[in-house]
Amino acid sequence: MIRRRVVPLLVFLTLAALCCSHRPPAGNDGDLAKRIGEAVAATIGQGAFSGSVLVTHGRDGVLFSQGYGLADRSLQRANRTDTCYDIASLGKMFTAVAIAQLAEQNRLRFDVAVGPYLPQTLAGSEIGRKVTIAQILTHTSGIPDLPDALFNAPPETLQGYIPYFSAAKLEFEPGAQRAYSNAGFVLLGMIVESLSGQRYEDYVQRNVFQRAGMQRAGFQRSDCSGETAIGYTRSSAGEWQANSATVAPKGGPHGGAFVAATELVKFFHALRTGKLVGPEMGRVVTTPQPGSASAYGFGVLDFATDRLVGHSGGNEGVSADAYTYWQSGYTIVVLSNLGPPASHDVARAIRRVIEPQFEAKK
């Protein structure tokens, strides 16, 4: 059975229709837009990419906006930049913001062990005694990743994960090393539910999507009506197959939400301008942490004059990249209904155009 795994948030460190009417780029952005278009064209090749590419500067300045390939091959429906995609691990950013909001309200602390926040689930467990929220957010918790059975066929509610966390044993002493854990973010989702008294999906819908003005975003394919791309993989015979049999139909705290590229631009703008958390908390969650290659739920990369903040993801028939440059306000979103490295290669090519303007960190 195929494991529905999501790609770690720091992939970027290794590393057919136009949509909507926008303000055209001005000044030096005009040349930048031209070079971004050339870089994308050179990267995707003939039919090698299917998805959406959106690059903006500030809230409304669109440098590049293009859909490629088909969202639905059977109906010949084209991808657009307002087409929704399964965004895989990019959804971890929403969980990180939800946790940050609760911390801002003094309902939790990053440096406190998680046991008291889920007393029934973690009573007497090693995870409850030793692991902090900060360690989960930076993937240094030691919580083992989800087993195949839970990854491929997740329970209807987060409460269905309780037996797993009650019995799970740490793989290493928390803080001693880094190992990517989707399970850790499921646990964070359970904490959001416990402290807010709301379902995780409802909390994020009200406190992240609505605050950011994200209308084409949700946790089920139906949340974006008929404008959601179907993920595709190649069979051994070379035929395209829909990924519906190998991915969960609903997203959760660890990933798999359905979101359009246009809405991820809104998310980053809301995060950068204090609509989701205050400026100080925004700084906290996007600052790289000692002993980890990430911030609190976000991948980061520092330049002398800017900071890249975002996430990448991947799955069967899904690949996604979304980054914003915190000081300058450039944002890159590449979503694909093909598996890795489809979006990663395109995002890397765009970064190679944008980043030379920033001084290298010394």
Side-chain angles (χ1 to χ4, degrees):
M1 184 177 288
I2 297 174
R3 303 186 71 168
R4 184 179 180 265
R5 291 301 181 198
V6 280
V7 173
L9 73 166
L10 293 175
V11 163
F12 67 86
L13 292 181
T14 64
L15 326 173
L18 287 170
C19 167
C20 314
S21 174
H22 301 285
R23 177 171 61 84
N28 292 335
D29 278 355
D31 177 62
L32 197 64
K34 179 176 179 292
R35 290 188 288 119
I36 288 171
E38 293 170 346
V40 172
T43 303
I44 64 174
Q46 187 66 36
F49 177 78
S50 177
S52 301
V53 182
L54 180 58
V55 185
T56 65
H57 189 191
R59 177 64 179 83
D60 299 313
V62 174
L63 304 183
F64 190 84
S65 174
Q66 183 73 51
Y68 298 87
L70 297 174
D72 187 323
R73 292 173 182 268
S74 64
L75 299 178
Q76 294 292 294
R77 178 164 52 84
N79 281 318
R80 299 158 46 95
T81 48
D82 63 349
T83 297
C84 286
Y85 297 82
D86 178 340
I87 61 169
S89 252
L90 269 62
K92 287 184 173 68
M93 297 189 292
F94 307 146
T95 303
V97 168
I99 289 291
Q101 289 172 345
L102 294 169
E104 201 169 40
Q105 298 163 17
N106 295 317
R107 301 173 78 175
L108 61 78
R109 286 175 48 184
F110 293 118
D111 60 350
V112 169
V114 296
Y117 301 122
L118 292 170
Q120 293 181 320
T121 303
L122 300 176
S125 73
E126 190 179 32
I127 292 174
R129 294 194 313 272
K130 293 184 175 182
V131 174
T132 67
I133 287 176
Q135 288 165 341
I136 297 177
L137 287 167
T138 56
H139 297 279
T140 59
S141 69
I143 297 175
D145 213 345
L146 296 173
D148 289 357
L150 287 178
F151 207 95
N152 295 328
E156 285 295 316
T157 69
L158 296 187
Q159 298 308 303
Y161 290 97
I162 289 177
Y164 170 72
F165 287 112
S166 298
K169 302 297 183 184
L170 294 175
E171 293 184 327
F172 54 82
E173 194 67 20
Q177 55 184 287
R178 185 177 188 277
Y180 196 76
S181 176
N182 291 293
F185 274 73
V186 171
L187 196 64
L188 293 180
M190 296 172 70
I191 291 173
V192 170
E193 291 192 339
S194 177
L195 296 183
S196 71
Q198 303 174 48
R199 287 194 320 149
Y200 169 82
E201 297 92 334
D202 294 337
Y203 181 93
V204 171
Q205 186 69 48
R206 292 169 186 157
N207 295 283
V208 179
F209 297 163
Q210 289 183 13
R211 282 200 207 180
M214 300 167 65
Q215 297 178 331
R216 297 189 57 71
F219 288 91
Q220 299 186 74
R221 180 174 296 277
S222 58
D223 292 335
C224 289
S225 66
E227 296 300 327
T228 302
I230 296 170
Y232 289 96
T233 61
R234 288 275 198 184
S235 70
S236 56
E239 297 176 345
W240 288 111
Q241 296 180 327
N243 67 351
S244 54
T246 58
V247 298
K250 187 176 88 167
H254 58 313
F258 294 90
V259 185
T262 50
E263 310 312 287
L264 286 166
V265 170
K266 295 175 185 177
F267 169 75
F268 281 129
H269 180 76
L271 183 63
R272 289 177 56 252
T273 57
K275 290 182 179 179
L276 297 178
V277 293
E280 176 58 23
M281 184 58 70
R283 183 194 65 77
V284 169
V285 298
T286 60
T287 296
Q289 297 299 305
S292 172
S294 66
Y296 284 162
F298 293 85
V300 291
L301 180 63
D302 275 340
F303 303 88
T305 56
D306 216 323
R307 171 176 288 166
L308 182 68
V309 175
H311 216 294
S312 60
N315 204 348
E316 291 291 316
V318 177
S319 56
D321 291 77
Y323 314 116
T324 194
Y325 295 87
W326 199 253
Q327 280 75 32
S328 61
Y330 290 101
T331 297
I332 302 168
V333 181
V334 185
L335 307 179
S336 179
N337 56 336
L338 301 180
S343 71
H344 310 328
D345 289 345
V346 175
R348 249 191 316 265
I350 297 169
R351 286 183 53 205
R352 284 195 291 266
V353 175
I354 292 177
E355 290 175 6
Q357 67 184 292
F358 309 130
E359 272 183 66
K361 186 177 180 182
K362 303 192 177 173

